[in-house]
Amino acid sequence: ENENYSAIMEDLTKQGVFKSNYIGSADLADIHITKLPNTKALAYHQQVTEFSRQYISTIKHVDKATVINAKFTSLFINWNPPAVKTLFMAKSDLLDFKEKAYSTYEQIAEHRASTRASVLPKAETVPRNEEVHSIFILAQMETFEMSLNSAKDDMPLFSLTMCDSKVNHHSVEGDDENSEMIF
């Protein structure tokens, strides 16, 4: 495994991809991330054509949107069961960390609010609902290859190759049950 990694790194070094003046990376991937505020997020939802109207119409309220446009020369995904397990464990750990961080932040905010409340006269507080953050990923690839490998010998069990492919994914942050992906 280390030999494969070393061979890849050596090849990339020979191509000069780690030099500061390397311009070939634009040929490999061109990624643009756009963050849309409330005023533009809903308008984007209403005009987006990459997803089914039936799905998009179920989203009634959007506070902000992130649109990721990515164009790749090629994208290769080689997964084996231990790698998938590691990724899911990492995602779980990250979500746990995020939850603890938000909890800590809320406790600090409550403490500050209670400190201010004891100094200032009481004002009526309006509860703030969580923001709805919509995320669009629009990816185009000249070549897309996915290989699901064996846990025993890491040899391919299933391979899928597509040329001139598009993969579009939409989700709402915090809602893992409702999303749409189109190939």
Side-chain angles (χ1 to χ4, degrees), residues 73 140-145 160-166:
T73 302
Q140 296 177 2
M141 291 133 304
E142 288 179 22
T143 305
F144 174 70
E145 184 177 320
L160 169 72
T161 303
M162 297 187 295
C163 294
D164 296 326
S165 359
K166 292 182 180 181

Side-chain angles (χ1 to χ4, degrees), residues 83-99:
V84 173
K85 181 180 177 183
T86 301
L87 285 173
F88 284 126
M89 286 185 344
K91 178 186 175 192
S92 177
D93 291 347
L94 185 61
L95 291 175
D96 289 345
F97 173 76
K98 179 180 172 184
E99 188 176 309

Side-chain angles (χ1 to χ4, degrees), residues 3 13 38 50 58 81 84-85 100 103-104 116-117 122 126 148 159 165 178:
E3 290 175 11
T13 303
N38 183 335
E50 288 84 5
T58 63
V84 173
K85 181 180 177 183
K100 289 176 185 173
S103 174
T104 302
R116 284 188 194 132
K122 286 200 173 195
V126 178
L148 302 175
S159 291
S165 359
N178 297 307

Side-chain angles (χ1 to χ4, degrees), residues 103-113:
S103 174
T104 302
Y105 177 74
E106 287 172 0
Q107 290 173 359
I108 292 170
E110 287 172 7
H111 176 70
R112 286 183 181 167

Side-chain angles (χ1 to χ4, degrees), residues 91 95 98 102 130-135 171-179:
K91 178 186 175 192
L95 291 175
K98 179 180 172 184
Y102 280 142
E130 286 190 33
E131 288 187 335
V132 177
H133 184 186
S134 185
I135 302 167
S171 62
V172 175
E173 185 177 32
D175 183 1
D176 291 336
E177 294 183 21
N178 297 307
S179 68

Side-chain angles (χ1 to χ4, degrees), residues 57-75:
S57 67
T58 63
I59 303 166
K60 303 292 184 200
H61 175 76
V62 178
D63 290 304
K64 59 184 176 178
T66 300
V67 181
I68 302 170
N69 283 301
K71 293 182 182 179
F72 298 96
T73 302
S74 56
L75 181 63

